[in-house]
Amino acid sequence: MAEFTHLVNERRSASNFLSGHPITKEDLNEMFELVALAPSAFNLQHTKYVTVLDQDVKEKLKQAANGQYKVVSSSAVLLVLGDKQAYQQAADIYEGLKVLGILNKQEYDHMVQDTVSFYENRGEQFKRDEAIRNASLSAMMFMLSAKEKGWDTCPMIGFDAEAVKRILNIDDQFEVVMMITIGKEKTESRRPRGYRKPVNEFVEYM
Amino acid sequence: MAEFTHLVNERRSASNFLSGHPITKEDLNEMFELVALAPSAFNLQHTKYVTVLDQDVKEKLKQAANGQYKVVSSSAVLLVLGDKQAYQQAADIYEGLKVLGILNKQEYDHMVQDTVSFYENRGEQFKRDEAIRNASLSAMMFMLSAKEKGWDTCPMIGFDAEAVKRILNIDDQFEVVMMITIGKEKTESRRPRGYRKPVNEFVEYM
């Protein structure tokens, strides 16, 4: 079985983690190097990760997550944020294309203006949708990258986002899109994988 | 380099496709078998794919996508939909846990009720966010699965969602979260990969 297929089959959402498995910034940065290569609309890279290793902060996050124990049994807790103002960095992000001569000044200005007006014309709801959309693409890349490096994850949505923003001092510019806990899964707590719809139930061909 | 790392490095968003590379339902279903294993909140599997192989329909979609040529040069066009009413299938999706005896009747009823009230308490905006969030997790899994099977993709957001819904007769229950074109990349049209922020610019540790 190809390694990717094996990886996808092996990736499970952990319901609990083993204690005594500290994770380092170096471990996590290896995963983030891959996450950086995820696609994002207009290459704006809307996603930001607040990665909590500190046990006291994890305790506070546990309260904001309905007391879910895996928040503190995890090796780290990631808050996946989407930047609703990401489009405002278009000029910086596309700068390299001009410096490398791939775009001339006029083409560069056009590209920046097209991206900025694309977001401004569609308004606040769209900017928020884009924060959620692109941060979720990134989050899936993170969970597969973590599994590839031998770590287990659990994506979570059962938490009070406003409380999390207060605990971590997150600006309103950012949408808290998802919480991901990472560690070494306590496999004794594992259930059989949940029922999955057959392909013909979620795919329609035309 | 591990196969997954190679896959992530090789996956690029195609700006154009080679003609003459038909894709079959069997090719696509192999990818969807992997996509089925993506995580989703409460295992509700919010995502649905309308996969267009018909060239006439692709021509109509091209008009709805600002005339972008890759819509018709692609081998297929996928509309990634998120079901805003996915939580209403909780009873069916969890049924197997009761049948297998993993849950007794009371635990099963609790689990269904907890999931349904989680969505109903948080309201319409949350249901919509969840459609976008979970469909985007699924879409990232699709793009990596496609690359693993030797196909190239391009996630797209530059289209008129209402026009797409009319063309494909998509019910308002579904959010059109993303368009993905798939085919064999016309590498002559390829630019160097866009600038990527260094890890320390999008990751904060606490």
Side-chain angles (χ1 to χ4, degrees):
Chain A
M1 187 194 291
E3 196 211 289
F4 176 71
T5 305
H6 180 71
L7 194 68
V8 170
N9 277 280
E10 286 302 303
R11 189 219 56 84
R12 293 289 308 278
S13 296
S15 54
N16 206 344
F17 297 100
L18 295 170
S19 53
H21 286 274
I23 195 166
T24 67
K25 290 181 187 173
E26 290 66 33
D27 294 328
L28 288 154
N29 284 347
E30 266 190 55
M31 303 168 202
F32 287 122
E33 291 293 348
L34 291 174
V35 168
L37 299 177
S40 62
F42 304 95
N43 193 34
L44 289 172
Q45 301 158 71
H46 312 59
T47 312
K48 191 178 166 188
Y49 289 83
V50 177
T51 306
V52 179
L53 299 167
D54 180 289
Q55 201 63 22
D56 295 338
V57 180
K58 278 158 73 178
E59 281 291 346
K60 289 178 191 160
L61 290 173
K62 179 185 162 203
Q63 302 318 317
N66 309 320
Q68 292 179 75
Y69 183 68
K70 60 187 163 202
V71 173
V72 290
S73 69
S74 71
S75 304
V77 182
L78 285 72
L79 278 307
V80 188
L81 314 183
D83 183 355
K84 292 175 276 194
Q85 304 302 324
Y87 69 97
Q88 294 187 355
Q89 294 179 28
D92 295 341
I93 289 174
Y94 302 156
E95 178 83 21
L97 294 170
K98 189 174 62 168
V99 169
L100 292 170
I102 297 165
L103 297 179
N104 61 39
K105 174 86 169 63
Q106 197 191 11
E107 289 164 335
Y108 165 79
D109 291 340
H110 257 275
M111 190 172 172
V112 171
Q113 189 46 47
D114 285 352
T115 299
V116 170
S117 48
F118 186 87
Y119 279 79
E120 285 185 345
N121 294 344
R122 294 189 175 210
E124 297 312 307
Q125 176 72 59
F126 179 74
K127 294 172 191 174
R128 189 170 173 278
D129 292 351
E130 279 287 276
I132 296 170
R133 193 174 3 247
N134 291 282
S136 301
L137 289 174
S138 178
M140 189 69 245
M141 187 72 97
F142 176 81
M143 288 186 272
L144 289 168
S145 302
K147 188 64 191 173
E148 206 264 336
K149 308 287 180 190
W151 293 86
D152 301 301
T153 54
C154 187
M156 298 163 65
I157 194 61
F159 59 87
D160 176 344
E162 289 312 311
V164 165
K165 286 171 93 169
R166 281 194 301 274
I167 295 166
L168 300 179
N169 197 20
I170 294 169
D171 187 277
D172 281 340
Q173 172 180 340
F174 295 95
E175 188 71 18
V176 181
V177 175
M178 204 177 300
M179 180 183 282
I180 298 179
T181 42
I182 181 170
K184 300 285 184 180
E185 183 186 11
K186 195 173 184 183
T187 46
E188 306 92 274
S189 320
R190 179 187 279 193
R191 276 186 185 159
R193 190 192 288 274
Y195 164 77
R196 285 299 199 275
K197 294 177 186 177
V199 167
N200 59 18
E201 247 188 61
F202 69 88
V203 179
E204 181 190 334
Y205 285 100
M206 296 181 86
Chain B
M1 188 193 290
E3 195 210 293
F4 176 72
T5 305
H6 180 71
L7 193 69
V8 170
N9 277 279
E10 287 301 303
R11 187 218 58 85
R12 293 290 307 280
S13 295
S15 54
N16 206 345
F17 297 100
L18 296 169
S19 54
H21 287 273
I23 195 166
T24 66
K25 289 181 187 174
E26 290 66 33
D27 292 329
L28 287 155
N29 283 347
E30 266 190 55
M31 302 169 203
F32 287 122
E33 292 293 349
L34 290 175
V35 168
L37 300 176
S40 61
F42 304 94
N43 192 34
L44 289 172
Q45 300 159 71
H46 311 60
T47 312
K48 190 179 167 186
Y49 290 82
V50 177
T51 306
V52 178
L53 299 166
D54 182 288
Q55 200 64 24
D56 295 338
V57 180
K58 279 158 72 178
E59 281 290 347
K60 290 178 191 160
L61 290 174
K62 179 185 163 202
Q63 302 318 316
N66 308 321
Q68 292 178 75
Y69 182 67
K70 60 188 164 202
V71 173
V72 291
S73 69
S74 71
S75 304
V77 183
L78 285 73
L79 278 307
V80 188
L81 313 183
D83 183 355
K84 291 175 276 193
Q85 304 302 324
Y87 70 97
Q88 293 186 357
Q89 295 179 28
D92 295 341
I93 288 175
Y94 302 157
E95 178 83 20
L97 293 170
K98 189 173 62 169
V99 169
L100 291 172
I102 297 165
L103 298 179
N104 62 37
K105 173 86 168 67
Q106 197 191 12
E107 290 164 334
Y108 164 80
D109 291 342
H110 257 277
M111 190 172 171
V112 172
Q113 189 45 49
D114 284 354
T115 299
V116 170
S117 49
F118 187 86
Y119 280 79
E120 286 184 343
N121 294 344
R122 293 187 175 212
E124 296 313 306
Q125 177 71 61
F126 179 74
K127 294 172 193 174
R128 187 169 175 277
D129 291 350
E130 279 286 278
I132 296 170
R133 192 174 4 246
N134 290 282
S136 302
L137 289 174
S138 179
M140 189 69 245
M141 187 71 96
F142 176 82
M143 288 187 270
L144 289 168
S145 303
K147 188 64 191 173
E148 206 264 338
K149 308 288 182 190
W151 292 86
D152 300 301
T153 54
C154 187
M156 298 163 64
I157 195 60
F159 58 88
D160 176 345
E162 290 312 312
V164 164
K165 287 169 94 167
R166 283 192 301 273
I167 295 166
L168 301 179
N169 198 19
I170 294 169
D171 187 277
D172 282 339
Q173 171 180 342
F174 295 94
E175 187 72 16
V176 182
V177 175
M178 204 176 302
M179 180 184 282
I180 298 178
T181 42
I182 181 170
K184 300 285 183 179
E185 182 186 11
K186 195 173 185 182
T187 45
E188 306 92 275
S189 320
R190 178 187 281 192
R191 275 187 187 159
R193 190 192 288 276
Y195 164 77
R196 286 300 199 274
K197 295 178 186 175
V199 167
N200 60 19
E201 246 187 63
F202 69 89
V203 179
E204 181 190 334
Y205 285 100
M206 295 181 88

